[in-house]
Amino acid sequence: MMKRRAIFLTLILCLTAALCGCTAQDQPASDTAAQSATVQEDAPYTQIDTAQAIRLMQTEKDYIILDVRTEEEYKSGHIPNAICIPNETIGNGEIGALKDKNQLILVYCRSGRRSKEAAQKLANLGYHNVKEFGGIIDWTGETVTGSE
C-alpha cells in the first residue's frame, strides 16, 4: 500500500512539474534563435548588399554615405563622399551631420557588424530611411584616403 502511494505521489509530482515547469527560460536554443531572428527581421532599417547600395548611389540624388568606423580607419581608405561618424559616438542625442531624418542614409563599416549596430541606433533615434550595406571589405568600387 505504501509503495503504491509513493508511486502515485511521484507520478503526480512529475505531471505537475511537466505542466507547470516549462517557462520561457527553459525553451530550447532553437526557439530562442527563432525569436532573435524575428527581431532582426523586424529591424526598422533595411539591410541591402553592396550592389544595391551602388545602384542607389547611381540613381538617388539626396543621400548620405555614412562610414561608422573610427577616424583612423576612415582616413586609411573610404568610399568617396562618405562622411565619418564612428559607431561609438552615435548615442541618444541629435547628430548634427544628419539633420534630415527622412534622408536616405547608406551605412557601412569594415565588416558589417558596426554598421548593423549603427543602423539600429539611427532607427531608434527616428531616422526613417536607413540602409545598411555591410563592410568596405566587400566594396569593389573606388576608395579614397585622407579626410574630406
Side-chain angles (χ1 to χ4, degrees):
M1 179 79 151
M2 284 294 268
K3 195 171 184 175
R4 277 192 206 163
R5 188 172 192 190
I7 293 171
F8 179 74
L9 287 174
T10 303
L11 283 171
I12 289 184
L13 286 173
C14 288
L15 285 172
T16 303
L19 293 173
C20 299
C22 187
T23 65
Q25 293 174 337
D26 298 325
Q27 289 181 349
S30 61
D31 289 350
T32 305
Q35 289 172 351
S36 295
T38 301
V39 171
Q40 289 292 6
E41 290 170 12
D42 294 340
Y45 66 89
T46 305
Q47 188 172 356
I48 61 175
D49 62 26
T50 303
Q52 291 169 307
I54 291 169
R55 276 194 297 277
L56 286 171
M57 290 174 199
Q58 292 170 342
T59 59
E60 295 294 319
K61 296 207 183 322
D62 187 30
Y63 62 88
I64 290 178
I65 305 169
L66 178 60
D67 186 323
V68 295
R69 298 175 299 157
T70 65
E71 283 285 337
E72 293 77 28
E73 289 174 297
Y74 174 81
K75 288 176 183 175
S76 71
H78 58 273
I79 296 171
N81 302 314
I83 63 170
C84 180
I85 302 175
N87 178 42
E88 298 77 27
T89 66
I90 301 172
N92 296 325
E94 292 296 315
I95 302 170
L98 304 176
K99 295 184 186 328
D100 183 356
K101 292 194 175 186
N102 293 311
Q103 185 175 27
L104 174 59
I105 303 172
L106 302 167
V107 185
Y108 76 95
C109 64
R110 187 189 69 79
S111 65
R113 184 187 58 78
R114 287 178 284 179
S115 58
K116 286 176 183 52
E117 290 176 5
Q120 185 62 59
K121 289 181 195 179
L122 292 170
N124 292 345
L125 288 169
Y127 291 90
H128 304 289
N129 199 7
V130 178
K131 312 275 187 215
E132 184 274 327
F133 67 97
I136 198 163
I137 60 174
D138 296 322
W139 182 254
T140 56
E142 178 187 0
T143 60
V144 293
T145 57
S147 57
E148 293 180 356

